[in-house]
Amino acid sequence: MTRLRALCAAVALACASGQVLAATPSHTAAAQEFLKLANADKLSTPVYMQVQQMFAQRFEQTKAPAAKKSVLDSYQAKANAALDSAISWKKLEPKMVSLYTATFTEAELKDLVKFYKSPLGTKVLREMPKVTQQSAQLTQQSLEPAVPQVNKLLDDMTKELVPNAGKAAAPAKK
């Protein structure tokens, strides 16, 4: 019973301390300024582009005549509306601000803002998306030679674990 009371007290204290540690208006403002500098409102743009591309590809696959392009446009607009209701910046910003204020102190956010306003920080913001994309491509290209070997290892492991895996079932005897 004493342990239960101690546990309840600890939980209550943790909950109360979470309320005490809630972001102050200046902490929130620092997170918002950082997110603006980091162009966080553009993070979902690739999702929109990918969905638009999916619809365009499906349109091509159906071999629909150009006269039906208005149907494509209509569905792309509906897809954008669905995405807006889920991942628009208006929806994401409060969650992102909470994430950043929970992760970084106000002083750290102000330091990040100061850095991203500097010439090097501006260059990082401008170049990092390209560097990240190129890094992913390099990794993918470097990985390709290992894929057959990894697949063979998976097959070998499966055969070792399940001796009859991959073999045709023997006909049942009558």
Side-chain angles (χ1 to χ4, degrees):
M1 191 65 147
T2 305
R3 285 184 187 173
L4 180 59
R5 285 185 186 152
L7 180 60
C8 289
V11 169
L13 183 60
C15 290
S17 67
Q19 292 171 349
V20 171
L21 296 176
T24 63
S26 60
H27 193 182
T28 298
Q32 288 170 323
E33 185 176 7
F34 169 73
L35 290 167
K36 183 175 180 167
L37 280 171
N39 297 310
D41 62 325
K42 307 286 188 272
L43 288 174
S44 61
T45 299
V47 175
Y48 282 81
M49 291 171 49
Q50 186 175 10
V51 168
Q52 294 300 304
Q53 186 177 12
M54 286 172 29
F55 276 88
Q57 286 173 344
R58 181 63 56 90
F59 183 78
E60 286 180 33
Q61 289 170 353
T62 64
K63 299 186 185 339
K68 294 270 189 174
K69 185 166 182 323
S70 63
V71 173
L72 169 64
D73 295 340
S74 171
Y75 277 91
Q76 285 178 322
K78 291 174 186 177
N80 281 344
L83 292 173
D84 285 345
S85 71
I87 60 171
S88 70
W89 183 241
K90 186 177 180 179
K91 294 256 184 182
L92 288 179
E93 184 181 20
K95 296 173 185 176
M96 295 290 277
V97 167
S98 292
L99 173 65
Y100 277 79
T101 56
T103 304
F104 300 102
T105 66
E106 182 177 345
E108 290 169 335
L109 286 165
K110 287 181 178 180
D111 285 347
L112 284 169
V113 167
K114 184 178 176 182
F115 170 72
Y116 282 116
K117 284 184 174 180
S118 74
L120 177 58
T122 302
K123 182 176 182 176
V124 167
L125 285 172
R126 183 180 64 246
E127 299 297 330
M128 197 51 72
K130 289 183 266 184
V131 170
T132 300
Q133 181 182 16
Q134 290 170 348
S135 296
Q137 288 172 344
L138 285 170
T139 301
Q140 182 68 31
Q141 290 168 355
S142 298
L143 179 64
E144 284 179 19
V147 170
Q149 183 180 1
V150 170
N151 285 336
K152 183 177 181 332
L153 290 169
L154 280 169
D155 289 344
D156 291 348
M157 182 185 77
T158 301
K159 288 174 187 170
E160 187 173 331
L161 293 172
V162 185
N164 292 329
K167 296 180 183 174
K173 293 185 180 181
K174 292 185 180 184

